Short mmCIF file of all heavy atoms in Angstrom, two decimals:
data_model
loop_
_atom_site.label_atom_id
_atom_site.label_comp_id
_atom_site.label_asym_id
_atom_site.label_seq_id
_atom_site.Cartn_x
_atom_site.Cartn_y
_atom_site.Cartn_z
N GLY I 31 -43.40 15.26 0.47
CA GLY I 31 -42.71 15.44 -0.79
C GLY I 31 -42.13 14.10 -1.32
O GLY I 31 -42.33 13.78 -2.48
N HIS I 32 -41.57 13.24 -0.31
CA HIS I 32 -41.11 11.96 -0.74
C HIS I 32 -42.30 11.11 -1.21
O HIS I 32 -42.20 10.38 -2.20
CB HIS I 32 -40.40 11.18 0.38
CG HIS I 32 -39.23 12.02 0.97
ND1 HIS I 32 -39.26 12.56 2.22
CD2 HIS I 32 -38.03 12.24 0.41
CE1 HIS I 32 -38.05 13.09 2.49
NE2 HIS I 32 -37.22 12.89 1.33
N GLU I 33 -43.36 11.21 -0.43
CA GLU I 33 -44.52 10.44 -0.74
C GLU I 33 -45.05 10.56 -2.14
O GLU I 33 -45.53 9.60 -2.85
CB GLU I 33 -45.74 10.55 0.29
CG GLU I 33 -45.36 10.08 1.64
CD GLU I 33 -46.55 10.08 2.61
OE1 GLU I 33 -47.64 10.18 2.11
OE2 GLU I 33 -46.24 10.10 3.88
N ALA I 34 -45.00 11.86 -2.60
CA ALA I 34 -45.42 12.21 -3.95
C ALA I 34 -44.52 11.51 -4.98
O ALA I 34 -45.04 11.02 -6.01
CB ALA I 34 -45.40 13.69 -4.20
N LEU I 35 -43.28 11.43 -4.76
CA LEU I 35 -42.35 10.66 -5.62
C LEU I 35 -42.73 9.23 -5.65
O LEU I 35 -42.75 8.57 -6.64
CB LEU I 35 -40.89 10.83 -5.20
CG LEU I 35 -40.34 12.22 -4.96
CD1 LEU I 35 -38.78 12.18 -4.90
CD2 LEU I 35 -40.61 13.17 -6.16
N PHE I 36 -42.95 8.64 -4.43
CA PHE I 36 -43.30 7.21 -4.43
C PHE I 36 -44.59 6.96 -5.25
O PHE I 36 -44.69 5.96 -5.98
CB PHE I 36 -43.68 6.81 -2.94
CG PHE I 36 -42.54 6.91 -2.01
CD1 PHE I 36 -42.65 6.74 -0.59
CD2 PHE I 36 -41.27 7.14 -2.40
CE1 PHE I 36 -41.66 6.78 0.28
CE2 PHE I 36 -40.09 7.31 -1.52
CZ PHE I 36 -40.33 7.18 -0.21
N ARG I 37 -45.62 7.91 -5.11
CA ARG I 37 -46.75 7.68 -5.86
C ARG I 37 -46.59 7.65 -7.40
O ARG I 37 -47.11 6.86 -8.19
CB ARG I 37 -47.88 8.66 -5.55
CG ARG I 37 -48.35 8.49 -4.12
CD ARG I 37 -49.75 9.21 -3.85
NE ARG I 37 -50.17 8.93 -2.50
CZ ARG I 37 -49.72 9.72 -1.47
NH1 ARG I 37 -49.02 10.84 -1.62
NH2 ARG I 37 -50.15 9.33 -0.23
N ARG I 38 -45.81 8.66 -7.76
CA ARG I 38 -45.41 8.83 -9.18
C ARG I 38 -44.75 7.58 -9.67
O ARG I 38 -45.08 6.92 -10.74
CB ARG I 38 -44.47 9.97 -9.57
CG ARG I 38 -45.10 11.29 -9.74
CD ARG I 38 -45.98 11.33 -11.08
NE ARG I 38 -45.22 11.30 -12.33
CZ ARG I 38 -44.71 12.53 -12.80
NH1 ARG I 38 -44.85 13.67 -12.13
NH2 ARG I 38 -44.13 12.54 -13.93
N ALA I 39 -43.82 6.99 -8.86
CA ALA I 39 -43.01 5.85 -9.25
C ALA I 39 -44.03 4.62 -9.32
O ALA I 39 -43.88 3.70 -10.22
CB ALA I 39 -41.90 5.61 -8.26
N ARG I 40 -44.98 4.57 -8.39
CA ARG I 40 -45.90 3.40 -8.34
C ARG I 40 -46.71 3.45 -9.66
O ARG I 40 -47.05 2.37 -10.18
CB ARG I 40 -46.81 3.56 -7.13
CG ARG I 40 -46.30 2.91 -5.91
CD ARG I 40 -46.95 1.50 -5.72
NE ARG I 40 -46.49 0.65 -6.75
CZ ARG I 40 -45.72 -0.49 -6.53
NH1 ARG I 40 -45.32 -0.77 -5.39
NH2 ARG I 40 -45.36 -1.21 -7.54
N GLU I 41 -47.07 4.72 -10.13
CA GLU I 41 -47.87 4.76 -11.28
C GLU I 41 -47.10 4.42 -12.57
O GLU I 41 -47.65 3.82 -13.46
CB GLU I 41 -48.40 6.26 -11.55
CG GLU I 41 -49.50 6.65 -10.60
CD GLU I 41 -49.58 8.19 -10.55
OE1 GLU I 41 -49.16 8.90 -11.49
OE2 GLU I 41 -50.21 8.73 -9.52
N GLY I 42 -45.84 4.80 -12.57
CA GLY I 42 -44.97 4.53 -13.78
C GLY I 42 -44.32 3.23 -13.88
O GLY I 42 -43.96 2.82 -14.92
N CYS I 43 -44.17 2.58 -12.77
CA CYS I 43 -43.34 1.27 -12.78
C CYS I 43 -44.05 0.23 -11.97
O CYS I 43 -44.81 0.43 -11.14
CB CYS I 43 -42.02 1.51 -12.09
SG CYS I 43 -41.02 2.83 -12.86
N SER I 44 -43.74 -1.04 -12.32
CA SER I 44 -44.38 -2.13 -11.65
C SER I 44 -43.71 -2.57 -10.32
O SER I 44 -44.24 -3.25 -9.58
CB SER I 44 -44.50 -3.35 -12.58
OG SER I 44 -43.23 -3.82 -13.03
N ARG I 45 -42.56 -2.07 -10.12
CA ARG I 45 -41.80 -2.24 -8.84
C ARG I 45 -41.20 -0.89 -8.37
O ARG I 45 -40.70 -0.17 -9.12
CB ARG I 45 -40.67 -3.29 -8.99
CG ARG I 45 -41.16 -4.76 -9.15
CD ARG I 45 -41.78 -5.19 -7.93
NE ARG I 45 -42.27 -6.64 -7.98
CZ ARG I 45 -43.54 -7.03 -8.40
NH1 ARG I 45 -44.45 -6.05 -8.71
NH2 ARG I 45 -43.91 -8.28 -8.50
N LEU I 46 -41.26 -0.73 -7.13
CA LEU I 46 -40.70 0.53 -6.40
C LEU I 46 -39.70 0.17 -5.37
O LEU I 46 -39.87 -0.64 -4.55
CB LEU I 46 -41.86 1.25 -5.74
CG LEU I 46 -41.49 2.33 -4.78
CD1 LEU I 46 -40.59 3.43 -5.52
CD2 LEU I 46 -42.74 2.99 -4.20
N ALA I 47 -38.51 0.73 -5.63
CA ALA I 47 -37.35 0.57 -4.59
C ALA I 47 -37.11 1.96 -4.02
O ALA I 47 -36.94 2.87 -4.88
CB ALA I 47 -36.12 0.01 -5.27
N VAL I 48 -37.05 2.02 -2.66
CA VAL I 48 -36.70 3.32 -1.97
C VAL I 48 -35.32 3.15 -1.43
O VAL I 48 -35.09 2.08 -0.73
CB VAL I 48 -37.84 3.66 -1.02
CG1 VAL I 48 -37.36 4.84 -0.15
CG2 VAL I 48 -39.16 3.83 -1.56
N THR I 49 -34.46 4.15 -1.52
CA THR I 49 -33.26 4.06 -0.74
C THR I 49 -33.30 5.12 0.40
O THR I 49 -33.75 6.37 0.17
CB THR I 49 -31.93 4.24 -1.59
OG1 THR I 49 -31.92 5.56 -2.07
CG2 THR I 49 -31.95 3.26 -2.81
N VAL I 50 -32.87 4.76 1.59
CA VAL I 50 -32.74 5.67 2.72
C VAL I 50 -31.32 5.69 3.12
O VAL I 50 -30.88 4.70 3.67
CB VAL I 50 -33.72 5.14 3.81
CG1 VAL I 50 -33.53 5.99 5.12
CG2 VAL I 50 -35.14 5.08 3.42
N PHE I 51 -30.63 6.78 2.81
CA PHE I 51 -29.22 6.83 3.13
C PHE I 51 -28.78 8.27 3.41
O PHE I 51 -28.94 9.16 2.50
CB PHE I 51 -28.32 6.20 2.11
CG PHE I 51 -26.86 6.24 2.35
CD1 PHE I 51 -26.31 5.62 3.41
CD2 PHE I 51 -26.03 6.95 1.52
CE1 PHE I 51 -24.94 5.62 3.63
CE2 PHE I 51 -24.68 6.92 1.74
CZ PHE I 51 -24.12 6.27 2.77
N VAL I 52 -28.32 8.60 4.61
CA VAL I 52 -27.91 9.97 4.84
C VAL I 52 -26.40 9.86 4.53
O VAL I 52 -25.53 9.43 5.22
CB VAL I 52 -28.04 10.33 6.43
CG1 VAL I 52 -27.71 11.73 6.69
CG2 VAL I 52 -29.51 10.07 6.85
N ASN I 53 -26.24 10.55 3.31
CA ASN I 53 -24.92 10.45 2.65
C ASN I 53 -23.87 11.48 3.24
O ASN I 53 -24.03 12.71 3.01
CB ASN I 53 -25.20 10.73 1.17
CG ASN I 53 -23.84 10.84 0.34
OD1 ASN I 53 -22.89 10.19 0.72
ND2 ASN I 53 -23.95 11.75 -0.63
N PRO I 54 -22.97 10.99 3.99
CA PRO I 54 -22.03 11.96 4.69
C PRO I 54 -21.33 12.82 3.69
O PRO I 54 -21.03 14.02 4.01
CB PRO I 54 -20.97 11.02 5.38
CG PRO I 54 -21.12 9.64 4.77
CD PRO I 54 -22.49 9.54 4.21
#
Side-chain angles (χ1 to χ4, degrees):
H32 299 113
E33 291 188 20
L35 307 191
F36 298 171
R37 290 201 181 87
R38 271 298 281 283
R40 275 260 65 116
E41 284 162 22
C43 298
S44 58
R45 288 288 180 270
L46 165 60
V48 173
T49 70
V50 173
F51 179 60
V52 186
N53 172 33

